[in-house]
Amino acid sequence: MYLAIVFQFLLYFGIIALTAYWLFSLRDNIEKYFQNKVVWITGASSGIGRELAKQLARISPSTCLVLSARREEELHKLANELQLDSDHCLVLPLDLELQQDCFKSKFDLVIERFGRIDVLINNAGISQRSLIRDTLYNVDSRLMNINFLGTVTLSKTVLQHFIELQKGHFVVVTSAAGYIGTALRSSYAASKHALHGFFNSLRLEHACDNIDVTIVCPGYVRTEISQHAFEGSGLLHGKMDPKTDKGTDPSKCAYDILRGVANREHEIYVGYLGSVVIYLQRFVPRLFYRILLRSKTD
């Protein structure tokens, strides 16, 4: 009888504690974690990257932001919208496909402005909408070069800096496709799978250097990702996917990401159907395969 009472008490306490954790471990943790930090965001001109910058500027005004993407004009528009001055913002155009100097010159500009980097958010990338048989080698190569090699090269450039500081945080925005290969996204999924392998290894190798790695796996988020995706010929898809259009609002997605980063989580599942499809794949793969067969052209 006594053990039953103790068990019941612990169960109720656990439920209350978990509820309190999810309800109250929100904004305060984000602001505290990012306070006075230098955060470099790639792919900041649109989508999730843009929302991450907006959320950080709102929640943690002391954070210094490095905004990178190919479209410099959009980055300046964002900096002006957020009313960021030069003491708290550096607009730094960056194309992950161009890796001639291993991004050392870009890294040097950040250090020259702010003296250090605390968090690198690897968000930039490009998607795909084409069948394997219709996809040119050049498209496969570009997807791997941008999504995987570009991200890895930039991260390795920052890695030595983190080692010297004996701290740092890599945030890698991959996709639910990092776990699940689906139709029309073969090389995109491959590039995201590769990121999981690389950064899981990095986390293990550099735990002794106090370097954190958070892998973010979005499901459907309402961004322009499908419109900017490669078709098999290399042309841009230029269409909004129906499921993407119904996806999670990017501002909510960005907030959930920042909360997970502040809690130093190893993996974060965000966005419409993100966690659902990952758990289905993990626990009932045959059932999930049949579900995918019925929707393979979506």
Side-chain angles (χ1 to χ4, degrees):
M1 176 66 75
Y2 175 75
L3 289 176
I5 293 172
V6 171
F7 176 77
Q8 233 177 4
F9 172 79
L10 290 174
L11 179 62
Y12 291 149
F13 179 79
I15 291 172
I16 293 169
L18 284 172
T19 303
Y21 171 81
W22 286 110
L23 289 177
F24 302 113
S25 179
L26 301 175
R27 180 184 175 121
D28 289 346
N29 274 8
I30 295 173
E31 184 175 11
K32 181 178 179 181
Y33 181 76
F34 286 100
Q35 187 174 18
N36 297 319
K37 280 187 167 63
V38 177
V39 180
W40 189 353
I41 305 173
T42 69
S45 62
S46 63
I48 293 174
R50 180 182 178 85
E51 291 300 325
L52 286 169
K54 290 172 68 174
Q55 293 282 355
L56 276 174
R58 177 178 65 86
I59 297 172
S60 181
S62 66
T63 299
C64 296
L65 295 174
V66 181
L67 305 177
S68 286
R70 291 176 299 167
R71 297 181 294 171
E72 183 175 1
E73 183 179 347
E74 292 300 318
L75 296 175
H76 282 293
K77 286 181 181 178
L78 176 60
N80 291 334
E81 177 187 334
L82 301 178
Q83 299 182 331
L84 297 172
D85 57 37
S86 59
D87 291 334
H88 290 87
C89 180
L90 171 63
V91 168
L92 187 64
L94 177 73
D95 188 339
L96 288 180
E97 200 168 8
L98 305 177
Q99 306 155 20
Q100 291 92 337
D101 68 345
C102 296
F103 304 119
K104 181 66 166 56
S105 59
K106 303 292 185 181
F107 169 82
D108 289 342
L109 287 172
V110 180
I111 299 304
E112 181 181 335
R113 173 68 66 87
F114 296 121
R116 71 182 195 282
I117 301 166
D118 297 295
V119 182
L120 172 60
I121 301 181
N122 288 300
N123 170 71
I126 193 161
S127 191
Q128 170 197 13
R129 297 296 183 273
S130 59
L131 295 170
I132 294 170
R133 65 170 182 256
D134 298 331
T135 305
L136 298 175
Y137 169 80
N138 181 58
V139 174
D140 294 327
S141 177
R142 290 190 70 188
L143 282 160
M144 292 301 295
N145 195 33
I146 296 168
N147 292 351
F148 178 66
L149 292 175
T151 297
V152 165
T153 302
L154 178 61
S155 297
K156 290 175 76 172
T157 303
V158 174
L159 176 60
Q160 185 58 42
H161 176 65
F162 283 173
I163 294 171
E164 291 169 2
L165 291 177
Q166 282 295 285
K167 62 178 181 178
H169 199 153
F170 289 109
V171 181
V172 192
V173 180
T174 66
S175 169
Y179 277 104
I180 302 148
T182 61
L184 305 176
R185 295 162 178 79
S186 54
S187 294
Y188 172 72
S191 68
K192 298 300 186 179
H193 275 67
L195 286 173
H196 279 251
F198 180 87
F199 281 97
N200 281 330
S201 294
L202 190 152
R203 184 191 294 113
L204 283 170
E205 290 184 13
H206 292 284
C208 58
D209 297 310
N210 303 307
I211 295 174
D212 291 303
V213 174
T214 297
I215 297 175
V216 182
C217 306
Y220 292 104
V221 180
R222 196 167 62 250
T223 68
E224 298 175 351
I225 185 170
S226 65
Q227 293 164 290
H228 297 157
F230 286 142
E231 292 188 337
S233 64
L235 296 176
L236 297 186
H237 187 55
K239 302 173 186 175
M240 173 66 83
D241 290 342
K243 287 182 180 177
T244 301
D245 193 35
K246 297 175 182 176
T248 301
D249 185 278
S251 62
K252 181 184 185 308
C253 177
Y255 187 84
D256 290 342
I257 290 171
L258 293 176
R259 181 179 63 188
V261 171
N263 289 328
R264 295 183 172 86
E265 294 181 16
H266 284 190
E267 286 193 354
I268 308 170
Y269 306 145
V270 295
Y272 175 59
L273 293 181
S275 58
V276 173
V277 297
I278 290 171
Y279 286 122
L280 283 173
Q281 168 69 14
R282 185 175 297 168
F283 296 114
V284 284
R286 280 186 171 274
L287 172 62
F288 187 57
Y289 170 71
R290 291 182 179 279
I291 294 171
L292 290 178
L293 276 178
R294 297 181 63 179
S295 58
K296 63 181 180 182
T297 58
D298 290 350

